[in-house]
Amino acid sequence: MNRKDLWLLILIIVVGTVVAIINPRFLSPINLSNTANLIGLFGIFAVAQAFVIISGGIELSVGSVIALLGVIFIDLVAAETVNPALACIIVIAIGCLIGLLHGVLVAKLGLQPFVVTLCGLLIYRGIARYYTEDATAGFPFGASFPTLEWLTAGRFYGIPHSLIAFIIITVIMGIVLHKSVFGRYLFAVGKNEEAARYSGINTSRVIIAAYVICAGLTAIAAIFIAMYTRSISPSSHGNFYELYAIAAAVLGGCSLRGGEGSILGVVLGTVLLQVLQNLVNLLGIPSSLNFAVMGSVILIGVLADQQISRRAALKRTPQTS
């Protein structure tokens, strides 16, 4: 655990303690379980976003992808077009194809990640609304899929399966990012793509892989969220989810310039955001201020990252007498 992660953990403990003192309901089993469930749901696509940010890019279409893949998943399962397992595979495959498209446009055609994913945000939201004719997609009354519901929305000794899935994904992605050759290449590309290319790294392949991983994990999150909500309004489902993902990544130490970040940091960033959102709910603060809180968190995170990077640069600069 580096210094950034340690300070973030201390901040989570302090904020959690303050909230618990002000409102003891924070520590109630129901509230802790619900918060853990939301950490799992939001944490999956926050980790996904981290891979793209570390590569030096940005993924703004997360919310729209979740909406599109969510309505497709519900339609496949509710209409019993295919069995739920195959529906999951199809949705994840579509997600990976979306990531592949984004990666190719950025790495091969040289388009700006901001432009590519902003266009994706609009396109996928529009397709989702057209797919459902702007109607809410949901399961028919009385429809039940016991195994699927237990796997995605169930609990193991009170622990939400979404949190368990998040932990498993976090461990796997942590190994990929911090213990593999690909992870080292990803940091190198994010730090200086041109230098990485001259050192023999296939930068295009690394960037494409980052977007595929991001969209594939987002597809998994879309399945869990669809089963959690059980109905999806394509015009609003997933709105501003990319904001939560970026905020969690930035809080966790991912630099928007690329080349920096850790999976543990993203996990802690996700936990802090959900604790803050829980604070807003328990203290009776208007929910409309949620976005103001998220925006402030991102701004503070970017300012802190800038100051830390500036101090680190000064320390590296040789002192002249």
Side-chain angles (χ1 to χ4, degrees), residues 192-315:
N192 190 323
E193 183 179 348
E194 187 175 357
R197 187 183 300 112
Y198 283 131
S199 66
I201 297 174
N202 189 330
T203 57
S204 295
R205 186 178 298 174
V206 172
I207 292 172
I208 291 172
Y211 280 92
V212 170
I213 290 172
C214 178
L217 292 179
T218 301
I220 295 174
I223 294 171
F224 275 90
I225 293 171
M227 293 304 299
Y228 172 66
T229 61
R230 295 190 66 84
S231 65
I232 293 174
S233 175
S235 62
S236 60
H237 185 79
N239 276 348
F240 298 103
Y241 278 15
E242 54 279 345
L243 174 65
Y244 286 95
I246 294 170
V250 170
L251 278 173
C254 292
S255 171
L256 292 176
R257 295 182 300 272
E260 296 178 21
S262 71
I263 293 298
L264 178 58
V266 177
V267 172
L268 294 174
T270 302
V271 173
L272 178 59
L273 285 178
Q274 290 305 321
V275 170
L276 288 173
Q277 187 166 352
N278 201 234
L279 178 149
V280 170
N281 295 331
L282 290 177
L283 299 186
I285 300 172
S287 59
S288 55
L289 288 176
N290 273 349
F291 297 129
V293 172
M294 296 304 107
S296 300
V297 165
I298 293 177
L299 180 60
I300 293 171
V302 172
L303 287 173
D305 174 68
Q306 186 180 47
Q307 293 302 315
I308 291 172
S309 299
R310 187 173 297 173
R311 289 184 180 181
L314 288 174
K315 287 182 178 179

Side-chain angles (χ1 to χ4, degrees), residues 60-246:
L60 299 176
S61 64
V62 167
S64 296
V65 169
I66 287 175
L68 175 60
L69 297 183
V71 296
I72 291 175
F73 178 74
I74 285 182
D75 184 57
L76 291 174
V77 175
E80 298 184 352
T81 306
V82 297
N83 66 64
L86 183 56
C88 291
I89 295 173
I90 291 172
V91 167
I92 294 173
I94 295 174
C96 291
L97 287 175
I98 290 173
L100 178 63
L101 174 62
H102 290 184
V104 169
L105 291 174
V106 171
K108 295 295 186 180
L109 299 185
L111 299 181
Q112 290 294 322
F114 181 89
V115 174
V116 171
T117 57
L118 178 61
C119 292
L121 180 152
L122 300 172
I123 292 169
Y124 305 136
R125 180 72 62 184
I127 294 175
R129 297 181 68 171
Y130 177 79
Y131 184 85
T132 62
E133 298 180 348
D134 221 8
T136 299
F139 294 106
F141 180 77
S144 179
F145 306 93
T147 302
L148 178 63
E149 292 170 357
W150 182 82
L151 287 172
T152 55
R155 282 171 164 74
F156 180 76
Y157 289 101
I159 303 174
H161 287 173
S162 60
L163 181 64
I164 295 174
F166 174 47
I167 293 171
I168 294 172
I169 289 171
T170 295
V171 171
I172 295 173
M173 291 300 104
I175 294 172
V176 170
L177 185 62
H178 300 294
K179 301 295 183 181
S180 71
V181 174
F182 168 76
R184 291 196 293 273
Y185 286 176
L186 186 66
F187 280 107
V189 171
K191 203 72 174 176
N192 190 323
E193 183 179 348
E194 187 175 357
R197 187 183 300 112
Y198 283 131
S199 66
I201 297 174
N202 189 330
T203 57
S204 295
R205 186 178 298 174
V206 172
I207 292 172
I208 291 172
Y211 280 92
V212 170
I213 290 172
C214 178
L217 292 179
T218 301
I220 295 174
I223 294 171
F224 275 90
I225 293 171
M227 293 304 299
Y228 172 66
T229 61
R230 295 190 66 84
S231 65
I232 293 174
S233 175
S235 62
S236 60
H237 185 79
N239 276 348
F240 298 103
Y241 278 15
E242 54 279 345
L243 174 65
Y244 286 95
I246 294 170

